[in-house]
Structure formats: C-alpha cells, structure tokens
C-alpha cells in the first residue's frame, strides 16, 4: 500500500517524513517522498537543497520498504503536484505537515492543506 509524503526541509517536514515512514512500514510500503519546487520561486525555503534531500534519504536508508525520493519542478501548485502523484501511484495515504506558528487560528490550514484534504482520492494524514 503506497504512501506519499509532501516533504519540506523544516522540522514539520521531517516530522511528516517520520510519520510517513511509520505508515509505510505498517502498510507494507512503498514510500514516495516528494519535494515540489515551484518555477519562478527558487528561493522558497520549502525547496529542498541537494544536501537536504540527502539528509532525508539518509533518514530513510534503513527503511524496511522501498523508498523513492523525488524533487518535482512544477507550474501547478504544490497541491496539484501531490494530488497527481498520489493518483498516478494509486496511493492509499498522503501525508502532509502543517505549520503551527500562525498567529491567527482562523487560518489554521493553508490553501495547500485545505485543497489536499478536500480533493485527495485517498486518506490524508496531517502531522
């Protein structure tokens, strides 16, 4: 049973990575790790550098399931890319992390998280 995780190189992103590994292990894998790079916004801190992708791969090196780490350039929004990959890979679970440092509780979830929760054809785990 395939698990897809949207990965960003932050503490929240690594927490989502750990949770996705636990789920992939429990479900029998594989685990697909996706970092989305939006065209025209190369300085975005959510874009993983080669070193950060290597850190993620190292963290998953001893995983008992197949792991595929991808960095995808996209014109679509982050949600569109993750939804496409989850559908193409027939994912059973999509894992995302959300930032908790927002001042305004009425904006608990950002646009990307809301779109994934509403539009995903599979279960979504929010970390």
């Amino acid at each position: 049973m395939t698990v897809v995780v949207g990965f960003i190189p932050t503490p929240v992103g690594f927490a989502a990575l750990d949770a996705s590994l636990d789920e992939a292990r429990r479900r029998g894998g594989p685990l697909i790790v996706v970092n989305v790079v939006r065209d025209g916004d190369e300085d975005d801190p959510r874009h993983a550098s080669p070193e950060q992708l290597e850190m993620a791969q190292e963290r998953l090196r001893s995983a008992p399931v197949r792991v595929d780490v991808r960095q995808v350039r996209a014109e679509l929004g982050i949600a569109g890319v993750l939804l496409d990959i989850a559908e193409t890979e027939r994912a059973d679970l999509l894992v995302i992390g959300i930032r908790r440092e927002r001042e305004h509780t009425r904006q608990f979830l950002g646009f990307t998280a809301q779109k994934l929760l509403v539009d995903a054809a599979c279960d979504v785990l929010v970390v």
Side-chain angles (χ1 to χ4, degrees):
M1 297 189 155
T2 303
V3 175
V4 173
V5 59
F7 173 71
I8 57 174
T10 65
V12 169
F14 280 100
L17 190 67
D18 292 342
S20 67
L21 177 57
D22 289 344
E23 286 294 326
R25 183 181 298 131
R26 188 173 72 76
R27 296 165 186 259
L31 173 60
I32 301 171
V33 180
V34 182
N35 177 250
V36 180
V37 177
R38 293 183 296 181
D39 290 334
D41 199 9
E42 283 73 21
D43 293 331
D44 189 325
R46 294 173 292 187
H47 299 173
S49 68
E51 295 81 20
Q52 291 166 323
L53 286 175
E54 180 59 35
M55 285 174 54
Q57 289 175 326
E58 184 61 34
R59 197 170 192 141
L60 300 169
R61 197 162 314 281
S62 63
V65 296
R66 182 176 59 83
V67 175
D68 180 10
V69 178
R70 305 175 186 179
Q71 189 167 50
V72 180
R73 295 193 90 63
E75 293 177 15
L76 297 174
I78 294 168
V81 170
L82 292 173
L83 290 169
D84 284 349
I85 290 173
E87 182 179 335
T88 300
E89 298 293 338
R90 298 181 183 181
D92 296 294
L93 181 68
L94 175 61
V95 180
I96 59 171
I98 60 167
R99 296 173 291 191
R100 292 174 177 82
E101 69 273 0
R102 296 186 179 185
E103 294 176 19
H104 307 291
T105 55
R106 65 189 174 118
Q107 294 180 339
F108 175 68
L109 294 175
F111 174 77
T112 300
Q114 287 179 17
K115 183 157 182 57
L116 292 170
L117 286 168
V118 171
D119 293 343
C122 61
D123 292 337
V124 179
L125 173 62
V126 178
V127 178

